[in-house]
Amino acid sequence: MSDISVDYLVIGAGPAGLQLARLLETGGHDYLVIEAADAPGSTFATFPRHRRLISINKPHTGSDDPEFNLRMDWNSLLSEDPELLFTKYSERYFPDADDYVRYLTDFAAAYALRIRYGSRIVRVARDGPGFTVTDDQGRAYRTRRVVVATGVSRPNIPPIPGIETAEQYSTVSVDPREFTGQRVLIIGKGNSALETANNLLETAAVIHVAGPSPLEFAWKTHFVGHVRAVNNNFLDTVQLKSQNALLDARVVHLEKKDDAYRVQFKFTVATVEHTYDRVIVCTGFRFDPSIFDENCLPRLALDDRFPELTPAYESADVPGLYFAGTLTQQLDFKKSSNGFIHGFRYAARALYHVLEQRHHDRLWPHRELPAFARDLAAHTVSRINRSSGLYQQYGNLADLLVVGSAGPARYYEELPVGYLHDDAFDHRGHAFAITLEYGPDDDGDPFTPRLSSAVLGKGYIDGPLHPVVRHYHRGELVTTLHLPDDLENLWTRPDLHVEPLEALFTQAVPAAAPAHR
């Protein structure tokens, strides 16, 4: 069996692998995707276990702007074909996972992406400046660069004595009738735990959900991986005393004897024991690094759950080893959207531009603009009101506007914020980073009416999503401008959004950007 040589080897044909493959295909690059299953998106054939996605799907936005509509479409991959939008596959706000499997299959077929199915990678080894990657059939792939897009595929099991006797979220039965009249403990407080609890509400006698940390709600933190309202029904039964309970406690020991579990909980002031018929572990997943040789084993972060990355999505200690999809979460863990399709589709595009810039001498896509404040402000306002990448990757991706001492300004789109100061971009003059961000955290009720900076005045930073512009001169931060939020995220008011931007550009570079030509 002869070796196969490619420039780019992508491991995994989930949404991140397909997104990057489509970009590599468009750019005319030599690539191959290796997938262990017989079809793309195999994870979605199993997860979520109860088959309802929590990534929203909104076909009817009132707009005919495809870029804007992607703000409300959290499942589509980026492409130029309007028929390859997931909104064509389902109208349900929380769609069925089986529809997503069908969508990914059609996406891969429509673009004839180069994917080898039924081939599981078992070894990745450094081979000079590149890598040799071996699959379970003995094929060897020699490649300059590896992109791992396998997702978090290993269960994240807490170190609790006896936990090996419990059932796992990934394999436990989803037939609620099998739990009729039983006492059930669910370990974990995320969406998988609450999803599992909701499934058992009509049949289980008692349901306890336990974990040492307080519940975190997406509607309060803005992080879509925290508990979503669609999984909140169980919490009603807790508050209304319907035999169920939420335990703020650490499970310290499990013992299975005969057909029952004895479980010890450590509360702040006491250790308590309860008995259950079933125990289900719903504590998430982690990266599986077992395929890597010691000579290219990537350093891990966040309790070894994710690879440690540079802002360019590259391993912090293995040059040429890149990551895409949920494996890029270390860059924004529990803060933004790299862990989700509506976020990492843009991260995959940013990774593609990094690869083209670094390895193919291609400039990051940009537009040249007249270096006048009115033109710069007009284009910036247009971007913050249309861009889905800035909107979905809030605080993670930034547009970069570079204004030199002469000639046109250059406007780059959707750079990773940590990559803004890379040497590939000229920072000898003035640069402006444009992002969408949430304001300071507020420990109060997020639904309490609050006044905006539009009312309270300059200096007050709004909590809701709003535009932020940071001015750098020769690489040093000079000033930061927070524009007011807007009820419908339309940042177009002349007095609140346009004129402050024009004033910033005029003051920052008066010689190059007067307010009027």
Side-chain angles (χ1 to χ4, degrees):
M1 190 178 297
S2 58
D3 293 354
I4 299 167
S5 296
V6 291
D7 282 347
Y8 293 97
L9 190 77
V10 180
I11 305 176
L18 296 183
Q19 183 67 82
L20 185 59
R22 173 57 188 152
L23 294 164
L24 292 169
E25 180 79 27
T26 302
H29 295 290
D30 180 28
Y31 76 95
L32 181 65
V33 181
I34 304 296
E35 168 57 45
D38 294 327
S42 60
T43 294
F44 291 91
T46 303
F47 300 106
R49 295 299 313 285
H50 302 94
R51 311 311 294 144
R52 179 167 57 178
L53 299 177
I54 58 174
S55 47
I56 68 172
N57 176 58
K58 191 174 181 181
H60 310 294
T61 67
S63 172
D64 58 4
D65 182 348
E67 175 72 12
F68 177 87
N69 287 341
L70 282 171
R71 292 182 171 189
M72 302 302 143
D73 172 358
W74 290 13
N75 300 285
S76 293
L77 299 183
L78 305 177
S79 83
E80 66 282 355
D81 186 349
E83 294 304 311
L84 284 175
L85 292 170
F86 184 70
T87 51
K88 302 285 187 181
Y89 286 71
S90 173
E91 289 200 343
R92 296 184 63 186
Y93 192 75
F94 295 112
D96 190 281
D98 290 332
D99 287 332
Y100 201 59
V101 174
R102 182 165 57 92
Y103 168 73
L104 294 178
T105 300
D106 288 353
F107 187 93
Y111 291 117
L113 299 178
R114 284 171 265 174
I115 305 172
R116 172 162 284 168
Y117 296 108
S119 178
R120 182 178 297 278
I121 298 302
V122 296
R123 181 171 180 258
V124 179
R126 174 65 81 186
D127 184 1
F131 302 87
T132 295
V133 180
T134 309
D135 68 13
D136 56 356
Q137 298 164 47
R139 295 190 190 94
Y141 306 86
R142 299 189 184 279
T143 182
R144 295 181 180 183
R145 286 165 283 276
V146 172
V147 182
V148 182
T150 54
V152 281
S153 55
R154 175 185 286 183
N156 181 49
I157 308 299
I160 301 170
I163 200 166
E164 69 279 358
T165 63
E167 298 176 89
Q168 298 294 323
Y169 169 76
S170 57
T171 54
V172 69
S173 172
V174 295
D175 183 354
R177 293 170 297 182
E178 293 189 18
F179 297 81
T180 301
Q182 294 183 345
R183 295 172 55 86
V184 180
L185 170 65
I186 298 172
I187 301 176
K189 285 185 175 177
N191 281 297
S192 62
L194 273 295
E195 167 200 330
T196 302
N198 285 345
N199 186 52
L200 304 180
L201 287 177
E202 296 177 351
T203 56
V206 171
I207 306 170
H208 289 175
V209 172
S213 302
L215 280 178
E216 301 247 44
F217 297 99
W219 47 261
K220 184 172 184 180
T221 66
H222 309 296
F223 175 64
V224 301
H226 283 149
V227 174
R228 303 288 293 284
V230 70
N231 288 325
N232 276 356
N233 287 343
F234 170 77
L235 300 181
D236 273 3
T237 72
V238 172
Q239 295 298 83
L240 299 176
K241 309 303 290 182
S242 300
Q243 291 190 279
N244 299 328
L246 185 70
L247 308 181
D248 289 327
R250 182 166 56 90
V251 178
V252 294
H253 191 266
L254 297 177
E255 181 183 4
K256 186 177 184 181
K257 190 172 184 180
D258 299 325
D259 292 328
Y261 286 90
R262 296 171 60 188
V263 182
Q264 288 185 350
F265 298 92
K266 176 65 175 177
F267 290 84
T268 303
V269 295
T271 299
V272 178
E273 185 173 287
H274 291 281
T275 302
Y276 302 92
D277 299 296
R278 309 279 283 269
V279 177
I280 306 171
V281 182
C282 299
T283 49
F285 295 84
R286 61 171 57 234
F287 171 53
D288 182 358
S290 61
I291 62 174
F292 292 94
D293 272 15
E294 285 294 329
N295 68 2
C296 63
L297 182 65
R299 189 163 64 234
L300 304 181
L302 299 173
D303 195 27
D304 292 343
R305 289 187 66 182
F306 301 98
E308 183 179 340
L309 304 181
T310 72
Y313 310 105
E314 186 176 25
S315 167
D317 60 340
V318 183
L321 176 61
Y322 294 88
F323 292 85
T326 61
L327 293 177
T328 62
Q329 286 186 68
Q330 179 261 332
L331 295 173
D332 67 336
F333 188 57
K334 295 188 176 181
K335 293 179 181 178
S336 191
S337 57
N338 268 325
F340 310 93
I341 298 162
H342 67 284
F344 66 61
R345 63 190 178 192
Y346 302 102
R349 185 162 66 186
L351 169 58
Y352 171 70
H353 292 321
V354 167
L355 296 174
E356 288 226 304
Q357 184 187 73
R358 285 185 169 186
H359 306 300
H360 305 283
D361 294 324
R362 297 180 183 176
L363 295 176
W364 196 284
H366 64 279
R367 177 176 298 186
E368 293 190 346
L369 301 173
F372 293 93
R374 180 166 293 176
D375 297 279
L376 302 181
H379 188 74
T380 300
V381 167
S382 175
R383 279 287 298 166
I384 62 179
N385 282 284
R386 290 190 66 245
S387 168
S388 57
L390 296 182
Y391 188 89
Q392 302 288 27
Q393 282 271 24
Y394 54 89
N396 247 2
L397 295 180
D399 285 0
L400 178 65
L401 172 62
V402 178
V403 184
S405 59
R410 283 164 291 135
Y411 196 103
Y412 302 90
E413 296 183 0
E414 296 176 16
L415 282 74
V417 291
Y419 197 65
L420 289 172
H421 300 289
D422 188 85
D423 291 342
F425 306 99
D426 186 358
H427 295 95
R428 290 172 294 178
H430 295 270
F432 302 86
I434 298 108
T435 54
L436 295 177
E437 300 178 21
Y438 287 96
D441 292 335
D442 190 327
D443 293 332
D445 182 351
F447 297 113
T448 299
R450 289 173 173 80
L451 296 176
S452 165
S453 61
V455 175
L456 296 177
K458 186 176 180 181
Y460 178 80
I461 300 175
D462 287 329
L465 193 70
H466 63 277
V468 182
V469 182
R470 291 178 173 87
H471 171 213
Y472 297 88
H473 184 229
R474 297 178 179 174
E476 298 295 327
L477 179 63
V478 176
T479 188
T480 301
L481 172 66
H482 289 264
L483 297 176
D485 77 287
D486 179 82
L487 178 65
E488 298 192 48
N489 295 328
L490 297 174
W491 301 286
T492 57
R493 279 186 54 172
D495 56 334
L496 296 180
H497 304 115
V498 180
E499 292 171 9
L501 271 175
E502 287 189 6
L504 173 66
F505 294 140
T506 300
Q507 294 166 9
V509 280
H516 304 284
R517 282 180 281 180

